[in-house]
Amino acid sequence: MKSLPQEDLYAKIFNNALVAIGTTDTKGNFIAVNPAWCKALGWAEEETNTLNIKDITLAEEQQTLNQELSKLAEGKVCSLRKTQRYKRKDGSIFWADLYRSALFDDKGKVMGILDIFVDIDVQVRSEKVQGELFQSLETLNKELSNANIGLKRQAKYDSLTGLYNRWVMEEMLNKEIIHSLETNRGFAVGIADIDDFKMVNDTYGHDCGDLVLVKLTQSFLQKIRVTDSVCRWGGEEFLFLFPETIEQGAMIVVERIRKSIEELNIDYKGNLIKVTITIGVSFYNGQDNLDGKELVNRADKALYKGKSEGKNKVVFS
């Protein structure tokens, strides 16, 4: 197989690259651009002969541009990577991930500047990325790792309270049923619902409602045992899991939780907010032929019985 001459190969790579590539002299005057560059910025190739890189740079960013070009031209830095905004021919603006490096001649003198960028406007706007993005490949890897950690956390935790979400608790509940069958030890499930929570939101607004949810969460975590778990089940409902306990032991913990909320004082912009909770509890004795959904439904029925009987109480099914 015949190989292309090196210059022809470079030309084909330049013209067929999916990323935008532009070269300028050390003053920023364009020398050559590829088709992807023209598509991204809306300029025809023949029009770029009279363009300077400042023509596609926002006014507020031109001082930074001058400094970067100066450092590259003087050989103080060889390359840089940044996220910046570009201005198209029609005046519209988009975000791009930019690689900028100096071009050297055979004697090691800077003869021009090479810019390679990728349009990331959709990602930036949709994810509301703030601050500087990725200064190097190492930083990129770190940010991607952090993003993965963040996604995993969002999949497991409620964003407001920091508690486990419903999906995680359902998994824990199913595992606890298996464990209970193996050990013949019982456990309890409790559903707590804030009494008249709608009145709090209607009177003081949803910011106050969010504060109430957070304060209750803090109280819950202080009152449950180390082995217990609590999640935000949905809205103003919380689900508790009390492993390896008897009914009397579960009752003690649940009543302690209920009383702590009854005694809780929440200050919202100088207003004293008082709330109560009703809790429905179901018990799994290690032999019941119930799945997690049925167990939760039993606790839910007990909860609504407590609501109908005056609220602010614990009811066992």
Side-chain angles (χ1 to χ4, degrees):
M1 179 184 294
K2 290 185 177 180
S3 60
L4 290 171
Q6 193 173 53
E7 290 185 1
D8 289 348
L9 178 61
Y10 288 160
K12 287 188 177 295
I13 293 173
F14 182 81
N15 289 319
N16 290 281
L18 297 178
V19 294
I21 304 174
T23 59
T24 69
D25 61 22
T26 56
K27 300 298 183 181
N29 298 308
F30 279 100
I31 299 171
V33 297
N34 73 344
W37 189 101
C38 294
K39 182 178 179 181
L41 287 157
W43 295 90
E45 183 178 359
E46 57 270 17
E47 295 177 305
T48 60
N49 295 329
T50 60
L51 283 181
N52 186 280
I53 196 169
K54 293 180 181 179
D55 295 320
I56 60 172
T57 304
L58 273 64
E60 59 266 31
E61 297 177 1
Q62 292 197 8
Q63 182 176 355
T64 300
L65 171 66
N66 290 336
Q67 294 171 351
E68 292 173 355
L69 293 181
S70 178
K71 289 180 181 179
L72 288 164
E74 294 170 9
K76 293 181 179 179
V77 295
C78 294
S79 63
L80 58 89
R81 180 178 181 179
K82 62 184 293 189
T83 299
Q84 72 168 46
R85 292 173 294 174
Y86 276 104
K87 181 172 61 176
R88 297 187 180 93
K89 181 180 179 180
D90 63 8
S92 60
I93 297 169
F94 67 97
W95 283 94
D97 198 3
L98 169 67
Y99 299 80
R100 176 169 287 157
S101 61
L103 294 173
F104 297 90
D105 61 18
D106 294 339
K107 297 180 180 180
K109 182 179 178 180
V110 178
M111 57 181 286
I113 308 295
L114 172 68
D115 279 2
I116 301 175
F117 69 79
V118 179
D119 185 338
I120 59 168
D121 196 61
V122 173
Q123 297 94 306
V124 171
R125 293 183 184 279
S126 63
E127 297 172 9
K128 299 180 181 178
V129 177
Q130 298 178 357
E132 296 183 0
L133 297 177
F134 315 138
Q135 297 299 312
S136 64
L137 290 175
E138 290 79 10
T139 305
L140 173 60
N141 289 332
K142 181 179 178 181
E143 291 293 334
L144 287 173
S145 176
N146 289 340
N148 286 333
I149 292 172
L151 289 173
K152 290 179 181 178
R153 179 172 179 82
Q154 289 177 24
K156 296 177 66 174
Y157 297 94
D158 174 61
S159 60
L160 176 64
T161 63
L163 296 176
Y164 287 131
N165 63 22
R166 184 170 184 151
W167 179 83
V168 174
M169 187 59 90
E170 287 175 344
E171 290 292 313
M172 294 176 66
L173 181 56
N174 290 330
K175 290 180 181 178
E176 191 59 34
I177 289 175
I178 295 173
H179 178 71
S180 181
L181 290 171
E182 292 174 346
T183 62
N184 200 31
R185 295 177 181 175
F187 69 93
V189 171
I191 295 183
D193 183 87
I194 304 174
D195 299 325
D196 303 314
F197 186 62
K198 184 176 184 300
M199 186 180 298
V200 174
N201 282 325
D202 290 347
T203 304
Y204 300 103
H206 289 282
D207 286 345
C208 179
D210 287 348
L211 176 64
V212 170
L213 292 170
V214 171
K215 291 296 184 182
L216 263 64
T217 295
Q218 294 170 353
S219 182
F220 292 156
L221 294 174
Q222 291 172 358
K223 298 304 178 183
I224 63 176
R225 304 170 304 172
V226 175
T227 54
D228 300 332
S229 300
V230 58
C231 83
R232 187 177 179 190
W233 193 243
E236 63 268 28
E237 285 189 337
F238 298 84
L239 186 74
F240 295 86
L241 177 60
F242 306 105
E244 297 196 10
T245 185
I246 60 177
E247 291 189 37
Q248 293 88 339
M251 174 61 93
I252 292 172
V253 178
V254 174
E255 179 58 28
R256 183 169 67 223
I257 293 170
R258 183 205 64 77
K259 188 175 181 181
S260 72
I261 302 306
E262 183 182 43
E263 297 174 349
L264 185 63
N265 294 319
I266 302 172
D267 176 49
Y268 178 72
K269 297 182 179 180
N271 298 296
L272 178 62
I273 309 298
K274 300 282 290 183
V275 296
T276 60
I277 58 174
T278 300
I279 309 175
V281 184
S282 61
F283 187 77
Y284 190 90
N285 62 17
Q287 297 177 349
D288 293 330
N289 185 25
L290 296 173
D291 60 19
K293 183 177 181 180
E294 291 170 325
L295 194 60
V296 172
N297 285 340
R298 277 177 29 178
D300 200 42
K301 289 179 181 179
L303 165 67
Y304 280 96
K305 181 180 179 183
K307 291 283 190 179
S308 65
E309 293 177 352
K311 306 175 184 178
N312 189 24
K313 60 177 58 183
V314 176
V315 178
F316 267 71
S317 65

